[in-house]
Amino acid sequence: MEGQDEVSAREQHFHSQVRESTICFLLFAILYIVSYFIITRYKRKSDEQEDEDAVVNRISLFLSTFTLAVSAGAVLLLPFSIISNEILLAFPQNYYIQWLNGSLIHGLWNLASLFSNLCLFVLMPFAFFFLESEGFAGLKKGIRARVLETLVMLLLLALLILGMVWVASALIDSDAASMESLYDLWEFYLPYLYSCISLMGCLLLLLCTPVGLSRMFTVMGQLLVKPAILEDLDEQIYMITLEEEALQRRLHGLSPSVGYNIMELEQELENVKTLKTKLERRKKASAWERNLVYPAVMVLLLIETSISVLLVACNILCLLVDETAMPKGTRGPGIGSASLSTFGFVGAALEIILIFYLMVSSVVGFYSLRFFGNFTPKKDDTTMTKIIGNCVSILVLSSALPVMSRTLGITRFDLLGDFGRFNWLGNFYIVLSYNLLFAIVTTLCLVRKFTSAVREELFKALGLHKLHLSHTSRDSETAKPSVNGHQKAL
C-alpha cells in the first residue's frame, strides 16, 4: 500500500508538472504572437532585404519579440495572481479550476524573474551588438564573424558590469560577507544586480508615472471628441477648406528649384489637412459621444488618479505605525488562503484597474519626457535599433511595476520569486521617501495641469504673455483658427 501511494503521488506530481508547463507555454505563446504583431506594425519595411543584414534583422526581431512578451508577462503577472487568489477563495473545490493553484503562480513568478534577467543581461545586449557588428578585420565576413564579434563584446560588457558592481559594493558596503556573496554568481550576484536594475526602474517610474497621470487627460482629450460649446464647426471647416485650397495653389505655382519653400508648404498643408480631419470627425460625432463620453472619461481618470494618491497617503501612515506594511515584511498567507484586499473581490478588481492605469500612465509619461521623446516608435518607420531600445525600456518599466505597486501600497500581494528578494525593499527610509516623493510629485503635476488655463489667463491679464513665458498658449494660438477664419500667426 505504501508503494502504491508513493507511485500515485509521483504520478500526480508528474501530471501537475506537465499541466503547469503546458499552461505556461500556452500563455507565453499567446503573448509572443501579440508582441510579434505589435513590433511588425512599427518596424521599418525598408529593412526587409534578402541578404546577410536581413538574417541579422530577423534574429534581432525574434529576440525583441521575446523580450516584449516577457515584459507583457511581467505586467500581467500581478493582476493574474490577485484575481487567481480571489477565484480560489470563491470556488475552493471546483474541479475546473484545480489547475489554478499556488504552485502555478509561484512558477510563473520564478519564470518571469528568470526571463527578465535573461532578456536584460543577455538577449537584448546580444541583439544590439549583433545588429551593429561587422566582423573583425582580417576575418571572412559573414554571420559567423558577426556572432564572434558579438560574443566578444558581450564578454567585455560582462567584465565591465562585474567590475562596476564590485566597486559599488566596496564603496557602499565593505563587509567581507557581502563581498564574498558576490562570488556566487547565480544565487547572489545576479539577484543583487537585478535588485539594482529594479531600483533604477522604480526611480524611472517615479519620474514617468506622475507625468503620465497628468498627461493622460491630454491624451484622452485628443482621442475623444470634445463637446462643441459656443463653436461653429461648419464655419471652421469652411475656413480650413479655403486655407487648404490656397496652400495647394501656392504649391502648384512654385518652381521645383525652390525646394525649401516647397517642403515648408507641404508640411503646413499636412497640418491643415490633419486639423480638417479632426473638425470633420467632431462634426460627424453623435450628441451622446460629444456630451457624455468625454466628461465621463475625464471624471473617471480624475477618480482613478485621486484614489491612487489616497492609497499612497494611507500607505505612508501605515509605514509610520506598522512595520508589516514594508514591502519586504512578513510573508502573508498562501495563494487561496485569504483575501488580499479589505473589500474582497471588489477591492481586488479596483487594485487590478489601478495597476493597469499606472502602467499605461508610466508608458505615456516615459514617451512624454523630453529626454526619451526620440524613442517614440512610428508606424512602419522604426529602425531595429530603436525597437531594441524600446523593448529594453518597456522591460525595465514592466519589471519594476510589481515592485512599485507593492511599495506604494496599491496592493498587499507579497512579491514572489526574485522580485521579493530585493535588498532595498527592507530599507524603511528608501520606501518612505519613495512614497512621499510619489504623492508630492503627482499632486504637483495635477495642480499644474488643472491650473494651467487660469495661469495663462493671468499672464494675459498682466501682460506677461508678451514675454513668451508660456509656450503652451503660444503654440495653441498659432494652430487655432480665429473667429474670422484666418489662422493666427506670430
Side-chain angles (χ1 to χ4, degrees):
M1 293 295 296
E2 293 181 358
Q4 292 179 355
D5 293 339
E6 184 178 356
V7 171
S8 62
R10 289 180 180 178
E11 289 180 353
Q12 291 180 358
H13 179 71
F14 174 76
H15 289 307
S16 64
Q17 291 291 328
V18 172
R19 182 174 61 247
E20 292 172 7
S21 301
T22 305
I23 293 173
C24 293
F25 176 78
L26 291 176
L27 292 176
F28 185 78
I30 295 173
L31 293 177
Y32 187 90
I33 293 173
V34 174
S35 302
Y36 179 80
F37 283 111
I38 292 175
I39 291 182
T40 52
R41 177 181 175 84
Y42 290 98
K43 182 178 178 293
R44 180 179 291 178
K45 302 303 180 183
S46 60
D47 292 340
E48 298 178 354
Q49 57 272 55
E50 294 297 331
D51 53 5
E52 179 183 318
D53 291 334
V55 177
V56 174
N57 282 329
R58 198 173 295 116
I59 295 175
S60 301
L61 174 64
F62 293 152
L63 295 179
S64 301
T65 305
F66 184 86
T67 302
L68 188 60
V70 172
S71 303
V75 171
L76 298 174
L77 188 59
L78 185 57
F80 179 77
S81 303
I82 295 174
I83 196 66
S84 299
N85 183 73
E86 299 300 326
I87 291 176
L88 290 174
L89 284 176
F91 308 99
Q93 302 298 329
N94 195 316
Y95 173 77
Y96 296 101
I97 62 171
Q98 292 299 314
W99 59 272
L100 196 63
N101 49 37
S103 176
L104 174 64
I105 304 300
H106 280 265
L108 289 175
W109 280 83
N110 289 326
L111 287 177
S113 59
L114 174 63
F115 286 157
S116 298
N117 281 281
L118 179 66
C119 294
L120 194 60
F121 300 119
V122 180
L123 297 185
M124 283 294 93
F126 178 86
F128 176 75
F129 290 129
F130 191 46
L131 195 66
E132 299 294 329
S133 64
E134 297 180 356
F136 291 112
L139 295 179
K140 184 179 179 181
K141 300 298 181 181
I143 299 296
R144 185 176 300 179
R146 299 180 73 163
V147 170
L148 178 60
E149 181 184 353
T150 303
L151 293 178
V152 172
M153 294 299 296
L154 282 178
L155 179 61
L156 294 177
L157 179 64
L159 294 176
L160 177 63
I161 294 177
L162 178 64
M164 292 175 60
V165 173
W166 270 94
V167 172
S169 178
L171 293 176
I172 298 174
D173 188 8
S174 58
D175 188 12
S178 64
M179 296 295 293
E180 291 179 0
S181 64
L182 294 178
Y183 285 109
D184 195 336
L185 184 66
W186 185 260
E187 290 294 331
F188 291 97
Y189 179 76
L190 284 180
Y192 177 77
L193 185 58
Y194 191 58
S195 177
C196 298
I197 299 296
S198 71
L199 178 59
M200 290 189 292
C202 287
L203 294 178
L204 183 61
L205 283 175
L206 181 61
L207 180 63
C208 298
T209 307
V211 176
L213 290 175
S214 61
R215 179 69 178 167
M216 283 292 292
F217 294 92
T218 304
V219 173
M220 296 306 298
Q222 294 173 353
L223 297 177
L224 300 175
V225 179
K226 298 181 181 179
I229 302 176
L230 301 178
E231 283 185 307
D232 191 351
L233 295 178
D234 293 329
E235 181 183 358
Q236 292 186 18
I237 292 175
Y238 176 71
M239 295 303 174
I240 286 293
T241 304
L242 292 179
E243 186 173 358
E244 181 183 2
E245 294 175 354
L247 289 173
Q248 288 177 351
R249 286 194 299 269
R250 290 180 61 186
L251 274 174
H252 293 313
L254 288 176
S255 60
S257 59
V258 191
Y260 182 73
N261 291 332
I262 290 178
M263 293 178 59
E264 284 187 346
L265 288 177
E266 287 179 350
Q267 182 64 36
E268 189 175 354
L269 180 61
E270 188 67 26
N271 295 335
V272 170
K273 288 182 179 180
T274 303
L275 181 58
K276 181 181 178 180
T277 303
K278 292 181 179 179
L279 291 175
E280 290 176 347
R281 180 174 178 268
R282 292 183 61 188
K283 183 182 177 181
K284 294 178 181 178
S286 59
W288 70 269
E289 185 179 357
R290 289 196 306 264
N291 302 322
L292 181 62
V293 175
Y294 181 82
V297 171
M298 292 296 112
V299 172
L300 182 62
L301 291 179
L302 183 60
I303 291 175
E304 290 180 348
T305 307
S306 303
I307 292 176
S308 302
V309 177
L310 183 61
L311 288 176
V312 174
C314 294
N315 188 55
I316 293 174
L317 295 178
C318 293
L319 288 173
L320 295 175
V321 299
D322 189 5
E323 294 182 355
T324 59
M326 289 289 295
K328 204 175 182 179
T330 57
R331 287 291 180 186
I335 301 294
S337 301
S339 179
L340 302 173
S341 175
T342 307
F343 302 100
F345 187 82
V346 177
L350 180 61
E351 289 179 0
I352 293 174
I353 293 173
L354 291 178
I355 290 172
F356 281 118
Y357 180 58
L358 290 178
M359 184 59 198
V360 174
S361 301
S362 64
V363 173
V364 172
F366 176 79
Y367 289 114
S368 299
L369 295 176
R370 187 173 301 177
F371 183 76
F372 300 106
N374 295 329
F375 269 67
T376 306
K378 298 179 182 179
K379 183 181 177 181
D380 298 332
D381 192 27
T382 307
T383 61
M384 276 307 305
T385 304
K386 188 175 291 186
I387 287 177
I388 292 173
N390 278 274
C391 290
V392 172
S393 303
I394 297 298
L395 177 62
V396 172
L397 293 177
S398 60
S399 299
L401 179 67
V403 184
M404 186 190 75
S405 302
R406 181 66 179 92
T407 304
L408 295 178
I410 303 297
T411 179
R412 295 296 178 185
F413 184 86
D414 289 320
L415 302 175
L416 306 175
D418 287 339
F419 289 91
R421 297 173 57 185
F422 299 153
N423 298 326
W424 60 272
L425 290 177
N427 192 309
F428 172 77
Y429 298 102
I430 293 180
V431 174
L432 181 62
S433 301
Y434 192 88
N435 282 262
L436 288 173
L437 285 174
F438 183 86
I440 293 173
V441 175
T442 303
T443 305
L444 290 178
C445 289
L446 291 177
V447 169
R448 181 179 180 274
K449 174 67 178 178
F450 288 105
T451 59
S452 59
V454 178
R455 188 170 61 251
E456 300 297 341
E457 293 299 327
L458 288 176
F459 284 157
K460 291 180 181 179
L462 297 176
L464 297 177
H465 65 287
K466 299 179 181 179
L467 301 177
H468 305 302
L469 296 177
S470 177
H471 298 280
T472 304
S473 62
R474 183 182 66 182
D475 296 339
S476 62
E477 286 180 1
T478 57
K480 182 179 179 181
S482 61
V483 179
N484 59 6
H486 297 287
Q487 188 176 8
K488 294 181 179 180
L490 292 176

